[in-house]
Amino acid sequence: MRLWEHWEDLPIRLRAGLSALFLVLALLLLWWPSGWAWPTRTLAHRALEREHLFGRGEIVAEGEITRSEEASPMHQPGTHFVVSERDGRYAVSVLRPKWGFLWRSTDDLFWSYQVLTPTEEKPLAYGFLVSDPIYTVNSGMVGTSGWEYLLLVASADPDIVRVEVTMDLVNRDELEQDPDWGLHHGVTVEAAETEPGSGLWLAPITLEETGGGTYIVLRGYDAAGELVYTYIPQ
């Protein structure tokens, strides 16, 4: 009662200011357990831009991330991606919903935020949006039978209108036998442009292998079908 009496004695403006402060503190206490999630995907992406000192870029692509029924993400999976461009660099965030109405980055430290930097000399650059194992049950034992990937490829060359991605999992012995092992044995897919003329492509790839390092080859073609650029890992 005494506290209320003292409250009533305060000037109206001071009470209004303290009420607003208490409201902000209450909202922060409610926001904190969400992992500082945001009400829209764009705002979540902007927060990652600021956190990584990228600057405010132009949103050039966003979309839903789909997986096959066989894929089993090891972490809380991202469901959407957002891409912004600034000075020829692309900030890529992988986001997931929180509490059904907020958005935040995924818990996967590798794919939650990346910057792709294609250049004039190397006009194609890639990053992963998905890297999920595929599990199967054999004789009562659960094992990994393959991997499902989703790559995002960015281009700095407007002449490139079609992109192919070849991928494989290669170990050291195989590379010693054949330096281009992944190129000769990998899975090749034609990437799908996010929008016509966007310079961004999505490439879903499933590998029925479990061991080795990733080996990725990128090829860019012009409108006449001529090969413009090839990236082969060294």
Side-chain angles (χ1 to χ4, degrees):
M1 180 65 72
R2 289 183 179 179
L3 181 61
W4 179 252
E5 291 175 353
H6 289 307
W7 176 263
E8 291 291 332
D9 291 337
L10 295 176
I12 294 178
R13 289 185 177 180
L14 179 57
R15 279 185 284 167
L18 290 173
S19 296
L21 178 61
F22 292 148
L23 178 59
V24 170
L25 291 175
L27 290 175
L28 287 174
L29 288 174
L30 291 174
W31 191 20
W32 174 67
S34 75
W36 310 114
W38 296 85
T40 69
R41 293 191 294 272
T42 298
L43 288 175
H45 179 78
R46 295 300 188 201
L48 288 169
E49 284 181 327
R50 292 192 297 271
E51 179 182 343
H52 295 273
L53 305 179
F54 182 81
R56 186 182 179 88
E58 178 187 358
I59 302 295
V60 291
E62 57 182 308
E64 183 178 1
I65 295 173
T66 59
R67 293 172 169 82
S68 68
E69 295 181 356
E70 292 77 17
S72 302
M74 294 183 293
H75 306 277
Q76 291 183 317
T79 61
H80 290 74
F81 69 92
V82 179
V83 185
S84 60
E85 186 271 336
R86 178 183 171 90
D87 299 329
R89 302 165 66 234
Y90 295 86
V92 184
S93 60
V94 179
L95 307 172
R96 63 181 177 86
K98 180 71 174 181
W99 297 344
F101 62 95
L102 298 175
W103 292 91
R104 57 158 296 173
S105 64
T106 64
D107 293 332
D108 193 315
L109 298 178
F110 295 101
W111 318 138
S112 59
Y113 179 86
Q114 306 165 70
V115 175
L116 306 183
T117 309
T119 64
E120 186 175 340
E121 295 76 20
K122 299 180 179 180
L124 294 180
Y126 72 90
F128 290 96
L129 301 182
V130 167
S131 174
D132 295 335
I134 298 173
Y135 295 114
T136 56
V137 179
N138 187 11
S139 300
M141 301 292 291
V142 178
T144 304
S145 62
W147 288 84
E148 183 173 298
Y149 300 92
L150 178 61
L151 282 68
L152 178 73
V153 181
S155 171
D157 187 344
D159 290 336
I160 293 178
V161 299
R162 185 168 67 86
V163 171
E164 285 183 346
V165 179
T166 298
M167 183 173 181
D168 198 9
L169 298 178
V170 183
N171 59 47
R172 182 177 299 178
D173 291 339
E174 291 169 336
L175 283 177
E176 289 178 351
Q177 295 173 18
D178 180 1
D180 295 329
W181 175 277
L183 185 61
H184 298 151
H185 300 85
V187 174
T188 298
V189 300
E190 182 170 335
E193 198 167 13
T194 57
E195 290 184 10
S198 69
L200 296 168
W201 285 266
L202 294 172
I205 296 179
T206 299
L207 300 178
E208 297 180 353
E209 301 176 56
T210 58
T214 56
Y215 182 100
I216 296 172
V217 175
L218 307 176
R219 302 182 192 86
Y221 299 86
D222 63 16
E226 297 294 327
L227 183 63
V228 175
Y229 172 74
T230 301
Y231 164 79
I232 299 178
Q234 301 300 319

